[in-house]
Amino acid sequence: AQSVTQPDIHITVSEGASLELRCNYSYGATPYLFWYVQSPGQGLQLLLKYFSGDTLVQGIKGFEAEFKRSQSSFNLRKPSVHWSDAAEYFCAVVTSGSGNTPLVFGKGTRLSVIA
Amino acid sequence: DVKVTQSSRYLVKRTGEKVFLECVQDMDHENMFWYRQDPGLGLRLIYFSYDVKMKEKGDIPEGYSVSREKKERFSLILESASTNQTSMYLCASSFWQGPEAFFGQGTRLTVV
């Protein structure tokens, strides 16, 4: 069965510091990979996605993620965190070409930003 | 922009009540989904639908049912609400070939 692991439940970083959120997936086929962000009390907003091609993908709000097939990872990065980045982040995966199969989500990583 | 609208942001219901959560999307998406979100458990799929009047069980369908009479609308029904159904409920939609899902703003349901 497909699964997504986000090893860090909660991360605290200082404003201006760099950020890396980890995501590992368990999958037999070529995956489509996503990162979503959820601000408090809100729905999920797509940050970025990887389907194929260049393994380093750029997203909104200055985020990027790198797909590493050998490590089954899709880690999210940002060079300099802003206080407004405090939110919960979800990694999600689905088999490529699977049409209407729902996304499988990790349990999320909550990011706190301190001054 | 895709818009997925959930009818209520906050709901408070009594134990045993029948509860309807409504979701409407305006992008002619074929697929619609209901997820439940709880702290430490992430998003868990309750039901999804890939066409009008079609439905598929997700990971945690017990205590829930769904209805999709029109393509743009997907309803989640709690037949007899219980306190353990207190949660955040998220609706999402996508095209038939997926894979990207678009989410509503969520409904925080409290059952007392």
Side-chain angles (χ1 to χ4, degrees):
Chain A
Q2 312 157 20
S3 68
V4 178
T5 301
Q6 294 180 245
D8 303 304
I9 297 172
H10 184 206
I11 285 181
T12 300
V13 300
S14 298
E15 192 169 15
S18 63
L19 171 70
E20 182 169 30
L21 302 182
R22 296 182 291 164
C23 173
N24 294 95
Y25 63 91
S26 172
Y27 237 94
T30 303
Y32 290 153
L33 296 155
F34 305 84
W35 275 100
Y36 284 84
V37 61
Q38 184 183 35
S39 297
Q42 302 297 313
L44 274 66
Q45 180 185 19
L46 181 68
L47 275 178
L48 48 77
K49 58 192 176 187
Y50 171 78
F51 291 166
S52 65
D54 191 346
T55 56
L56 183 64
V57 294
Q58 303 296 321
I60 62 171
K61 306 185 180 187
F63 285 91
E64 66 178 26
E66 186 171 13
F67 171 55
K68 293 185 177 180
R69 184 185 300 276
S70 61
Q71 298 177 19
S72 297
S73 69
F74 188 56
N75 294 348
L76 182 71
R77 300 193 295 248
K78 187 170 185 179
S80 178
V81 169
H82 188 262
W83 64 266
S84 61
D85 294 323
E88 188 143 24
Y89 293 80
F90 292 94
C91 182
V93 63
V94 69
T95 303
S96 61
S98 59
N100 53 23
T101 303
L103 297 177
V104 175
F105 286 85
K107 293 184 178 181
T109 297
R110 185 162 62 92
L111 173 66
S112 297
V113 181
I114 58 176
Chain B
D1 276 355
V2 175
K3 193 157 187 183
V4 180
T5 303
Q6 295 183 229
S7 55
S8 304
R9 293 293 304 275
Y10 301 94
L11 274 179
V12 180
K13 296 293 183 180
R14 295 193 180 279
T15 301
E17 274 193 79
K18 190 169 186 175
V19 181
F20 293 85
L21 303 184
E22 307 286 348
C23 176
V24 176
Q25 50 93 4
D26 66 357
M27 276 300 291
D28 204 33
H29 284 167
E30 290 82 11
N31 304 329
M32 296 189 74
F33 311 89
W34 276 106
Y35 289 89
R36 172 177 170 160
Q37 182 182 12
D38 299 286
L41 298 179
L43 275 73
R44 294 179 291 167
L45 182 67
I46 305 172
Y47 270 97
F48 67 102
S49 168
Y50 52 87
D51 200 354
V52 175
K53 297 192 186 294
M54 304 301 289
K55 61 185 179 183
E56 295 283 344
K57 291 181 180 179
D59 300 316
I60 52 164
E62 297 79 18
Y64 303 94
S65 62
V66 290
S67 172
R68 191 157 181 212
E69 297 296 319
K70 293 185 177 181
K71 189 175 185 180
E72 68 271 18
R73 186 180 297 270
F74 191 36
S75 302
L76 179 69
I77 304 158
L78 287 66
E79 296 289 342
S80 177
S82 64
T83 55
N84 63 13
Q85 293 178 307
T86 291
S87 187
M88 171 74 113
Y89 291 88
L90 293 163
C91 175
S93 69
S94 71
F95 287 113
W96 169 259
Q97 287 301 319
E100 178 179 343
F102 298 86
F103 282 81
Q105 76 277 28
T107 296
R108 183 162 297 282
L109 172 67
T110 302
V111 182
V112 297

